[in-house]
Amino acid sequence: RAADAGGIEVAVAAMLAHPQVAHVQEYGCWAVACVCVGTDDAAALARMQRTADAGGIELIVAALQAHPQVAGVQQGGCMAMANVCAGFDAAGIARKQRAADAGGIEVAVAAMLAHPQVAHVQEYGCWAVACVCVGTDDAAALARMQRTADAGGIELIVAALQAHPQVAGVQQGGCMAMANVCAGFDAAGIARKQRAADAGG
């Protein structure tokens, strides 16, 4: 109903109009995240695509870049990225690549680095990485995994799991992120697996 009323577009427009207002960015990200949750029906996937078509992916990344020390923006932005980039159809894969092209991998990793003790930032940072890095069926997916490793993501995923052992959401997201980033059977994929093991994963 929110999407039918134009809620996706107005949330994205709010973020576009007020890039330096942290609370607008935070709640804009949360609005997008909540409207775009779910991959179990065509309508949910269509909401994700509408967000991408409105420029939402790039605005989420921009929010994360503009407000690196605001935990609420980092939390909401990572969750929004994860939700908008869900889906395994061709459009979903394109959204994952679009997020990566905008710098989404690096900002998610940076969020985790900047807020190691904020469990929700760690949780949603892990989910953002997991969603963007899923898939081993093409070179672009493998490149996204390698970019995550090159940014220090493997060690930060392990650090999140170590720092928040009693937070189930961090443990779930962290394990999924580690699995996705360490996928692949080429030499780089084998090296990522070893790197995770060396980090204590």
Side-chain angles (χ1 to χ4, degrees):
R1 190 165 174 179
D4 291 341
I8 291 169
E9 290 78 9
V10 292
V12 170
M15 295 175 69
L16 180 63
H18 302 279
Q20 296 307 316
V21 183
H23 284 312
V24 173
Q25 299 302 305
E26 177 179 353
Y27 299 133
C29 284
W30 276 114
V32 167
C34 289
V35 172
C36 290
V37 72
T39 59
D40 53 350
D41 61 74
L45 295 172
R47 293 192 297 272
M48 297 168 200
Q49 192 56 45
R50 276 179 62 182
T51 303
D53 291 343
I57 291 173
E58 290 78 8
L59 285 168
I60 292 164
V61 173
L64 289 163
Q65 292 170 331
H67 303 281
Q69 297 305 316
V70 183
V73 175
Q74 301 301 300
Q75 178 181 342
C78 286
M79 176 54 81
M81 192 189 313
N83 288 0
V84 174
C85 292
F88 301 100
D89 58 347
I93 299 300
R95 289 191 299 275
K96 299 176 201 306
Q97 189 59 47
R98 187 165 170 178
D101 291 342
I105 290 169
E106 290 78 9
V107 292
V109 170
M112 296 176 68
L113 180 63
H115 302 278
Q117 297 306 314
V118 183
H120 283 312
V121 174
Q122 299 300 304
E123 176 180 352
Y124 300 135
C126 284
W127 276 115
V129 166
C131 287
V132 172
C133 289
V134 71
T136 59
D137 52 349
D138 62 73
L142 295 171
R144 293 192 299 272
M145 297 169 200
Q146 192 57 44
R147 278 179 64 179
T148 303
D150 291 343
I154 290 172
E155 290 78 8
L156 285 168
I157 292 164
V158 173
L161 290 163
Q162 292 170 333
H164 303 280
Q166 300 305 315
V167 183
V170 175
Q171 300 298 301
Q172 180 181 353
C175 288
M176 179 61 75
M178 192 189 311
N180 288 359
V181 173
C182 292
F185 299 99
D186 58 347
I190 299 300
R192 288 192 300 273
K193 299 177 202 305
Q194 188 59 49
R195 188 165 169 177
D198 291 343

